[in-house]
Amino acid sequence: MILDGTLVLPDRLAPGRVTFDDTIRAIEPGPVAHEATRYILPGFIDTHVHGGDGADTMEGVAAIGRLARFHMAHGTTTILPTTITRPWPDVMDALRAVAEVRHAGLSGGPAIHGAHLEGPFVSPHRLGAQPPFAIAPDPDHVAQALATGVVRVVTLAPELEHAETAIAAFAAAGVRVSIGHTVASFEQAEQAICRICAAGGTVGATHLFNAMGGIEGRRPGPATALMCSDAGHAELIFDTHHVHPASFRLAHRLMGERLLFVTDAMRGAGLGDGPSQLGGQEVMISDGIARLPDGTLAGSVLTLDAALRNALAAGTSLVDAAKLVSHNAARYLGLTDRGALVPGMRADFVVMDGDFTVREVWVAGQRHT
Ligand SMILES: [Zn+2]
């Protein structure tokens, strides 16, 4: 099969064609008919997404399929359904459901790489919109989570009791340890980064700038520790409400390919304004912003195609914007078979028109949208 248009390659834009079956076989730059109106990008990867189209990861197998297909229609070809802080048995049920969907495969859907365990190992003092069921990552709970075999990313507040042993256990299992929902100081965050690295792990940050405090001259906080560490990767919710465009540019300048866009989308994504729910809490979506009754931002209604458009509007090049929704997450997750238009990689594509609206989505050489 062949797609042609303007190819968004790792280092440049080039008109040309890509030849593929389930794998990219050839990239051939050269004049093509659709150059001006059609862009071919690598499939998007979302490492932090709770829901969409009325469905939530916590609701089980059918809901996970529904939210995954919704985000696929917006370009996501690899997804990590994400849990929320709830009583532990509910969290385990959700992890088992993600494992079941992953094992069976999602026909007509994106690749389910695994789950992002966001909560309950978070600070009760920095819940954001997480419900109040935070617990410490004691060895028993960590072992139960790891036994599901499906956790790929864990959000962890490093100042919690048992965090040190939890970091070692998750890192040893290849789980990305993502610092977040934390009241840690700069020094505590730096120490956690060192611990993760020493255990052979990969350092992440859960929605950089959100639920980790700000940056002040005398109080640099976890965000500074994460941005300044050569080892740190960071998620960013770029709906322009969670993070100001200038803060995005700062992080991007410092972190480059270690910064990745996530949606942190909740069930109301795709449904327009109106009442919704997050983790059993009432949420109101108004002007595309989801909030708890007290005004706290409650996840987002973002999709990765919109995040890409926001990055372009903030002055990011298309080559870099494409990396923010694809390659950088692949690198963070250690997925060397996707995230770029390069021969030998999976044939995961997003075809966008001149306005960067999604026209086609291909997963491993199959067209699904
Ligand atoms: Zn989240």
Side-chain angles (χ1 to χ4, degrees):
M1 288 170 287
I2 292 173
L3 287 172
D4 66 5
T6 296
L7 308 177
V8 182
L9 300 174
D11 58 347
R12 69 191 195 284
L13 304 180
R17 48 209 266 155
V18 51
T19 306
F20 60 97
D21 39 48
D22 60 350
T23 301
I24 298 174
R25 296 301 169 191
I27 302 283
E28 296 164 291
V32 292
H34 299 295
E35 178 184 340
T37 55
R38 200 154 88 142
Y39 292 93
I40 319 290
L41 294 86
F44 303 162
I45 301 171
D46 195 349
T47 65
H48 187 156
V49 48
H50 298 277
D53 195 24
D56 188 298
T57 302
M58 300 302 286
E59 293 171 329
V61 169
I64 291 163
R66 186 177 180 92
L67 74 91
R69 289 191 179 91
F70 166 75
H71 285 281
M72 184 184 65
H74 291 275
T76 299
T77 55
T78 297
I79 192 166
L80 273 75
T82 302
T83 61
I84 197 164
T85 304
R86 292 289 303 165
W88 184 249
D90 298 358
V91 174
M92 285 297 293
D93 283 349
L95 291 179
R96 288 189 203 100
V98 177
E100 189 179 330
V101 179
R102 180 173 189 272
H103 185 70
L106 193 59
S107 72
I112 309 281
H113 177 57
H116 179 156
L117 177 60
E118 188 189 28
F121 307 138
V122 297
S123 169
H125 308 295
R126 189 122 304 137
L127 289 169
Q130 300 276 321
F133 300 99
I135 57 174
D138 63 84
D140 184 40
H141 286 103
V142 171
Q144 287 182 45
L146 287 174
T148 64
V150 79
V151 180
R152 297 287 173 271
V153 178
V154 62
T155 293
L156 194 85
E159 71 277 17
L160 294 177
E161 193 185 359
H162 303 299
E164 196 175 334
T165 49
I167 284 171
F170 281 121
V175 177
R176 275 55 188 150
V177 180
S178 190
I179 296 172
H181 285 280
T182 174
V183 291
S185 65
F186 170 83
E187 288 77 10
Q188 284 174 308
E190 266 204 322
Q191 197 177 46
I193 291 167
C194 288
R195 285 212 176 101
I196 297 164
C197 292
T202 301
V203 180
T206 294
H207 40 57
L208 185 69
F209 299 122
N210 299 123
M212 62 173 63
I215 298 175
E216 295 172 41
R218 279 188 294 275
R219 287 161 55 96
T224 305
L226 289 154
M227 283 194 291
C228 291
S229 162
D230 289 339
H233 301 253
E235 307 174 341
L236 193 101
I237 308 169
F238 200 45
D239 60 357
T240 72
H241 306 300
H242 281 75
V243 176
H244 191 283
S247 302
F248 155 62
R249 283 197 291 270
L250 170 72
H252 195 216
R253 193 173 287 194
L254 284 168
M255 303 189 81
E257 295 187 0
R258 294 183 294 108
L259 188 70
L260 46 131
F261 282 167
V262 296
T263 62
D264 198 12
M266 44 83 75
R267 77 166 72 234
L271 298 184
D273 285 356
S276 189
Q277 276 202 345
L278 181 69
Q281 307 166 106
E282 298 305 316
V283 170
M284 181 56 76
I285 302 169
S286 169
D287 295 328
I289 307 174
R291 294 186 190 277
L292 299 180
D294 70 1
T296 303
L297 287 172
S300 83
V301 294
L302 185 62
T303 49
L304 283 180
D305 57 334
L308 176 122
R309 291 190 291 272
N310 289 340
L312 296 174
T316 311
S317 73
L318 179 54
V319 166
D320 282 348
K323 286 183 179 178
L324 284 159
V325 292
S326 182
H327 166 269
N328 300 358
R331 187 176 132 157
Y332 171 47
L333 296 171
L335 294 171
T336 55
D337 67 342
R338 66 198 83 174
L341 299 186
V342 172
M345 290 222 181
R346 278 167 53 110
D348 293 348
F349 309 116
V350 182
V351 179
M352 304 186 97
D353 67 14
D355 296 329
F356 298 98
T357 302
V358 174
R359 291 295 172 210
E360 300 172 24
V361 179
W362 295 72
V363 180
Q366 302 286 317
R367 184 176 173 181
H368 290 328
T369 296

